[in-house]
Amino acid sequence: MHYSLHPDVCAFSTERGRVADASAPYDGFNVTHYCGDAPEHVAACRQALCAELGIGRDGLVLPRQTHGTRVVRVSRQTAPSELEGVDAVTTDEARLCIGVSTADCLPLLLYDAEHHACAAVHAGWRGALAHIAVRAVQAMQTDYATRPEALAGAIGPHISLDSFEVGDEVFEAFADAGFPMQQIAMRYAAREGQQAAKWHISLQRAVRYSLQQAGVNTAHVSDCHVCTFQHYDRFFSARRLGVQSGRIFTGVMLRG
């Protein structure tokens, strides 16, 4: 899946597709090395992705995410140890593909055409709650003199409001943090086998709220409108397949 951020940018999310020698629940295209997949399968997928992008193996950068808010500026010299515990990465280096891994969480790409810089952000509910999107925008302001209102963005496949059921404690955490709950949450009637109604939260609306707080014009941030939970045959979904399964890689690369 490709996104039209700018002619000077390649932006995409990988799909599961059909990959030989991959067993369930990793049967699909997976470049993420820390989700339990066979190293040789991950290596083969990375090689295929780099070949398609026209870059070497050192041109692909993905962090090991922990649902935190740490943002790191990266280059080809960035050591793997610097990518541990990182949930957003930025760069202004051409031909360097940065990205994040998701399987229901929300991936966000940002591009600053004025300074030719980009970011990839991983926002699960914990990251969204902690305004990781704001942290990423602030980091771009500091490192590249980015004007938030000039940013363009794309939101990749993630679990939808309809599918993302949460406990009362998660709803209350967002409410306590000042999120507009009437906009980002909805209480669904009890479904078969449930004793009470459940809250559902929209990660997309929560992240858009954060972007607005950071000064971003969200009219310039597109959404692919694909739910991973509902379309787990096309995109990996942890709630469908389990945490030990493949990951979607949502990446962005400055062409030159």
Side-chain angles (χ1 to χ4, degrees), residues 102-182:
T102 61
D104 287 334
C105 294
L106 182 147
L108 169 69
L109 302 178
L110 297 171
Y111 176 58
D112 174 0
E114 293 179 341
H115 304 94
H116 204 41
C118 58
V121 183
H122 163 251
W125 73 261
R126 292 178 180 84
L129 175 65
H131 295 290
I132 189 170
V134 174
R135 301 288 186 94
V137 172
Q138 291 173 339
M140 294 185 75
Q141 288 179 279
T142 299
D143 292 338
Y144 313 116
T146 293
R147 293 188 305 117
E149 64 273 20
L151 283 168
I155 292 173
H158 61 281
I159 194 166
S160 64
L161 169 70
D162 184 60
S163 301
F164 191 32
E165 178 184 299
V166 300
D168 290 349
E169 72 283 358
V170 175
F171 175 90
E172 291 164 3
F174 275 91
D176 291 344
F179 281 82
M181 302 312 294
Q182 290 184 337

